[in-house]
Amino acid sequence: MKLRDYQKKVIEKTKEFIGSDEKELVIELFTGLGKTFLIPHISKELVGSGYQVYIISDISQLINQLREHFKNTSLEMSILNDNERTNENSPIILSTDQTLYNRLKNNKLKPTGKIVLIADEYHKRIEGDRFKLILDKLEPTKKIGLTATPFDFNGIKMFDNTFCPISQREAEEKGYLSPIKYYVPRIVTTMDFEKIDKGVADYSAEDIRKLYSDKQFKEWFVKFAKSLVLNKKQTLVFTSNIAMAEECCSLIKKIEPTAEVVHSKQDKDKNQQVIDDFKKGKIKALVSVTSLTIGFDAPNVDTIINLRPTKSYPLFFQMIGRGSRIYKDKKFTEFYDITDCLIRMGIPEDFVPFKDKKEFKKHKLQQTMVEQLINRTNEEVVEITREKIEEFEVYLEELEKNSLHLLTVDELRDLFNATYNVRLLVLIANEYHRRKYGWMLRTKTIELIIKNMEDVLEKLSVYNKEASTIKAYKTRIRNLLNNGKKLASMIYFPDFWYKETINKYGFVENW
């Protein structure tokens, strides 16, 4: 298989890394862009430079995929496990984290020489105790990490630098990835996700199951699933636990008899047979818990239904990534989020990791302030909005009186901070209307905010005719305007759900 342009960039970056004093290279590639395919090519460069290469993954399925890729090369490699004899002097050794950890911990493996450690899903293991012991015992000269999500559970970036040769959006435009269309059914607006938020790391599987056990929801879900199956979709469904997965599968079976479920309590051979049949198209709907969120390669998936609420950015984006691979005659993948994940996290194409915990807490504060205003009446929200805008205008007037010429750096900083409330109110107004009226957005409050922000631009222009110092700030204000408009037009996708879907499937509007 011929290397694509961005894959060639990765190989060139590897060569540069080998010849440098750098100790770590983190390669960022979205799901479906061939991280596993690239590893043998990276290994070839390393072996050619005199390194022994250890490749680790946390699941055996990825090790098996790597084994198949290495068969297409002339490279000698050995797998570290209890079922096969391992040549510890092999230039390339494949292993799961657990197996390598056990061998090193029990001193059954004593590596020597120049070693490069290649770790898939690098973001998951970088801070773990198991990985630290592996590093202490292995003492690699260099490390190469591959990941689609270089940020932690909360979306905070984990690495100072990553090498990303192509973005998800660019890959879609060039035909390397399937475009993804995101939809949020209106029924989500009736679901109380706060009820299952106990303030801990993530929602409990049992609380999630209870949230979706409502009789009215089940009736809705059967009709919803029927609309997808009738279109002969190849559908992947994510749930939170085994009981929920089996219940969901039984509901889908009422419409699509081929529907099956995979989970850890089911026989491994049965699971594998179900997965193989799904990839061949014999099974049209496959329900899973978490086993298929990582390392599951089924390019024919063209529909994903998410019934697995989570606070984890990597997990949510990994679920989306299961539909990103291209396939014959597949024009795009439809992602139906029947959770609050899209509302809280947005889409991966637009996500920028938080730079630190402080920025993440600021983001959480925004969400908290939104929640505090959700139960207000429309009139109260508009009044609060007007009050904040009036405060902002008073601030501008005072600033205008005191500034005869150019704004100082401190004044510009203060002015930008003063717009924080205005930006927040765009979020508040949009979320308020989403909760109160569903996905048909009422835009009057947002229009009011945007109009006043446009007035701000006019006021800024009087400070200095040349506007050299203010130009950058005006750009930032303009970005806020654009973001406000994006919130109304992009994230919540009302047009599809209320026009195309209703017309296409005959859904009644109160769904």
Side-chain angles (χ1 to χ4, degrees), residues 3 12 89 161 175 242 264 270 295 298 333 358 437 457 467:
L3 288 174
E12 289 303 315
N89 295 318
N161 295 295
I242 293 173
S264 59
K270 172 69 183 299
T333 297
K358 183 178 179 181
Y437 304 107
L457 287 176

Side-chain angles (χ1 to χ4, degrees), residues 34-50:
K35 293 187 294 297
T36 308
F37 169 76
L38 270 171
I39 288 176
H41 295 274
I42 293 171
S43 301
K44 182 180 178 181
E45 299 298 331
L46 294 167
V47 171
S49 298

Side-chain angles (χ1 to χ4, degrees), residues 121-134:
E121 302 296 335
Y122 198 46
H123 66 283
K124 291 177 63 178
R125 53 181 49 80
I126 189 66
E127 295 177 345
D129 291 338
R130 183 193 299 169
F131 188 67
K132 289 176 182 176
L133 183 139
I134 289 174

Side-chain angles (χ1 to χ4, degrees), residues 321-374:
R322 294 311 108 197
S324 64
R325 288 176 171 83
I326 55 177
Y327 190 68
K328 58 182 180 180
D329 300 327
K330 184 168 88 170
K331 295 180 179 178
F332 52 82
T333 297
E334 295 178 351
F335 186 90
Y336 293 89
D337 189 32
I338 313 178
T339 76
D340 63 342
C341 291
L342 269 177
I343 296 164
R344 287 185 294 101
M345 302 181 196
I347 58 179
E349 294 98 310
D350 292 333
F351 178 66
V352 177
F354 305 112
K355 63 182 180 180
D356 50 33
K357 288 183 179 179
K358 183 178 179 181
E359 188 173 87
F360 171 71
K361 287 179 179 178
K362 187 176 180 181
H363 169 73
K364 289 290 289 182
L365 178 62
Q366 283 187 350
Q367 291 185 329
T368 301
M369 293 179 73
V370 168
E371 294 298 330
Q372 289 173 351
L373 284 175
I374 286 307

Side-chain angles (χ1 to χ4, degrees), residues 264-495:
S264 59
K265 289 188 178 180
Q266 192 164 263
D267 180 74
K268 287 184 178 180
D269 291 338
K270 172 69 183 299
N271 279 341
Q272 191 56 55
Q273 186 60 55
V274 167
I275 290 171
D276 291 343
D277 287 345
F278 180 75
K279 290 180 178 181
K280 293 174 183 176
K282 294 179 181 180
I283 291 172
K284 304 305 294 183
L286 179 57
V287 185
S288 158
V289 184
T290 57
S291 60
L292 303 185
T293 56
I294 295 175
F296 178 62
D297 185 357
N300 59 341
V301 171
D302 59 8
T303 305
I304 297 174
I305 300 174
N306 182 30
L307 293 167
R308 206 296 191 197
T310 179
K311 299 178 188 178
S312 169
Y313 281 81
L315 175 58
F316 180 55
F317 291 167
Q318 288 280 6
M319 288 190 285
I320 291 173
R322 294 311 108 197
S324 64
R325 288 176 171 83
I326 55 177
Y327 190 68
K328 58 182 180 180
D329 300 327
K330 184 168 88 170
K331 295 180 179 178
F332 52 82
T333 297
E334 295 178 351
F335 186 90
Y336 293 89
D337 189 32
I338 313 178
T339 76
D340 63 342
C341 291
L342 269 177
I343 296 164
R344 287 185 294 101
M345 302 181 196
I347 58 179
E349 294 98 310
D350 292 333
F351 178 66
V352 177
F354 305 112
K355 63 182 180 180
D356 50 33
K357 288 183 179 179
K358 183 178 179 181
E359 188 173 87
F360 171 71
K361 287 179 179 178
K362 187 176 180 181
H363 169 73
K364 289 290 289 182
L365 178 62
Q366 283 187 350
Q367 291 185 329
T368 301
M369 293 179 73
V370 168
E371 294 298 330
Q372 289 173 351
L373 284 175
I374 286 307
N375 294 322
R376 304 290 187 107
T377 65
N378 186 51
E379 291 73 21
E380 285 176 317
V381 173
V382 172
E383 184 58 34
I384 292 169
T385 302
R386 285 183 178 140
E387 288 176 5
K388 292 294 183 184
I389 289 171
E390 285 173 4
E391 289 176 13
F392 186 49
E393 288 179 334
V394 169
Y395 175 85
L396 284 174
E397 288 172 4
E398 291 298 317
L399 193 63
E400 192 171 358
K401 291 176 184 177
N402 298 330
S403 300
L404 301 177
H405 302 292
L406 291 176
L407 294 176
T408 66
V409 173
D410 288 338
E411 286 171 332
L412 281 172
R413 188 180 295 113
D414 290 342
L415 187 56
F416 182 70
N417 289 337
T419 65
Y420 177 76
N421 280 335
V422 179
R423 175 173 51 177
L424 177 60
L425 283 165
V426 173
L427 291 170
I428 290 171
N430 205 24
E431 179 68 358
Y432 171 81
H433 289 299
R434 185 192 70 76
R435 297 282 186 92
K436 284 288 185 181
Y437 304 107
W439 302 111
M440 291 295 285
L441 294 176
R442 303 292 181 90
T443 58
K444 287 185 179 179
T445 307
I446 294 176
E447 287 173 355
L448 175 66
I449 296 171
I450 289 176
K451 181 182 181 300
N452 278 271
M453 292 174 79
E454 287 172 340
D455 290 342
V456 170
L457 287 176
E458 293 300 318
K459 289 185 177 183
L460 282 171
S461 67
V462 305
Y463 287 130
N464 182 19
K465 292 181 180 179
E466 296 178 0
S468 56
T469 305
I470 298 173
K471 186 176 180 181
Y473 180 72
K474 290 174 72 174
T475 301
R476 295 169 84 177
I477 286 285
R478 180 59 65 187
N479 286 339
L480 293 183
L481 293 178
N482 291 336
N483 286 337
K485 292 171 183 175
K486 275 186 181 180
L487 279 168
S489 64
M490 185 176 175
I491 293 181
Y492 298 115
F493 319 105
D495 287 341

